[in-house]
Amino acid sequence: AQSVTQLGSHVSVSEGALVLLRCNYSSSVPPYLFWYVQYPNQGLQLLLKYTSAATLVKGINGFEAEFKKSETSFHLTKPSAHMSDAAEYFCAVSEADAGGTSYGKLTFGQGTILTVHP
Amino acid sequence: NAGVTQTPKFRILKIGQSMTLQCTQDMNHNYMYWYRQDPGMGLKLIYYSVGAGITDKGEVPNGYNVSRSTTEDFPLRLELAAPSQTSVYFCASILPVGTAYTEAFFGQGTRLTVV
């Protein structure tokens, strides 16, 4: 079964600093990987996704993530943090079976709360 | 389009009471899901459905039931509420395109407290 580990339940950065949120996954077949963001009292919104087309994936709001198979990682980065980036971020994996079928079920990491200081 | 709509947004239940969390989507998505979110635990899949009349258990189905009589609606029922079911519940849907899936669309959530 697949699993996702997000290192660091809380990350704090200064406005303008680099944002790095870590995600490692475990999967026996090539995974589909996602980063979602959740603002307070709201649902989840997709930031970006990896579906094997390119290892460096660009998402919304200046975020990007790099898929590294050798490290089983999919870390999320943003060069310069903005106050509006403060939210909780979730890494998730959706696994296809040997026949390539996936029912879109997502396994989520524990979440990382990003705080941005002025 | 409204997307995925959940009702109610908040609810307080007493132990042993029952309730139905409603979820409806207007995007004609085949696949729908119920997740629960607990602090520091991420989201866990409760039940999912790949089409009308088809449902299956997720990771944490105990204490819940679902039905899918139409493409649009996917209600989640709690029969005998317990304090362990205090959580935030999210409904989501996907329009599967081959084996490369589009994003899941999430509702705003239902915050349930069982006392």
Side-chain angles (χ1 to χ4, degrees):
Chain A
Q2 66 269 33
S3 65
V4 177
T5 301
Q6 291 183 239
L7 297 176
S9 58
H10 291 80
V11 170
S12 180
V13 300
S14 298
E15 193 173 19
L18 171 71
V19 175
L20 170 60
L21 305 182
R22 300 178 187 273
C23 172
N24 288 89
Y25 69 93
S26 171
S27 176
S28 58
V29 297
Y32 303 125
L33 293 159
F34 305 81
W35 275 100
Y36 283 88
V37 60
Q38 184 182 30
Y39 298 103
N41 300 314
Q42 295 194 20
L44 278 70
Q45 177 185 358
L46 182 72
L47 272 180
L48 49 80
K49 63 181 179 182
Y50 168 77
T51 57
S52 77
T55 57
L56 183 61
V57 181
K58 295 188 183 299
I60 62 172
N61 301 336
F63 284 93
E64 62 182 34
E66 186 173 9
F67 172 72
K68 291 187 177 180
K69 183 178 180 180
S70 61
E71 298 178 6
T72 61
S73 68
F74 191 55
H75 302 331
L76 181 71
T77 61
K78 181 173 181 178
S80 178
H82 191 273
M83 297 294 287
S84 61
D85 295 327
E88 188 163 16
Y89 293 79
F90 293 95
C91 182
V93 62
S94 174
E95 187 176 278
D97 64 19
T101 299
S102 170
Y103 295 111
K105 297 181 291 180
L106 293 170
T107 298
F108 285 87
Q110 303 92 323
T112 298
I113 295 173
L114 176 66
T115 302
V116 183
H117 297 288
Chain B
N1 288 344
V4 179
T5 302
Q6 292 183 236
T7 56
K9 287 185 169 51
F10 304 93
R11 183 74 184 268
I12 298 175
L13 276 184
K14 294 184 178 179
I15 295 172
Q17 286 186 320
S18 62
M19 78 164 292
T20 298
L21 282 67
Q22 301 291 346
C23 175
T24 187
Q25 51 89 12
D26 61 359
M27 298 173 284
N28 203 31
H29 286 179
N30 306 88
Y31 292 8
M32 296 187 73
Y33 313 82
W34 276 105
Y35 293 90
R36 60 175 287 171
Q37 181 184 22
D38 300 300
M41 303 290 289
L43 282 76
K44 304 286 187 186
L45 181 64
I46 305 172
Y47 271 95
Y48 68 103
S49 169
V50 299
I54 306 170
T55 63
D56 206 349
K57 296 177 180 178
E59 184 180 356
V60 290
N62 291 345
Y64 306 95
N65 281 300
V66 294
S67 60
R68 183 95 181 269
S69 57
T70 67
T71 298
E72 294 78 19
D73 300 306
F74 190 41
L76 177 72
R77 183 152 180 90
L78 285 68
E79 291 293 349
L80 291 171
S84 61
Q85 294 177 306
T86 293
S87 188
V88 182
Y89 293 84
F90 287 100
C91 179
S93 70
I94 286 176
L95 178 66
V97 179
T99 57
Y101 285 90
T102 59
E103 66 184 276
F105 289 83
F106 284 81
Q108 296 285 305
T110 295
R111 186 175 297 273
L112 175 67
T113 302
V114 182
V115 297

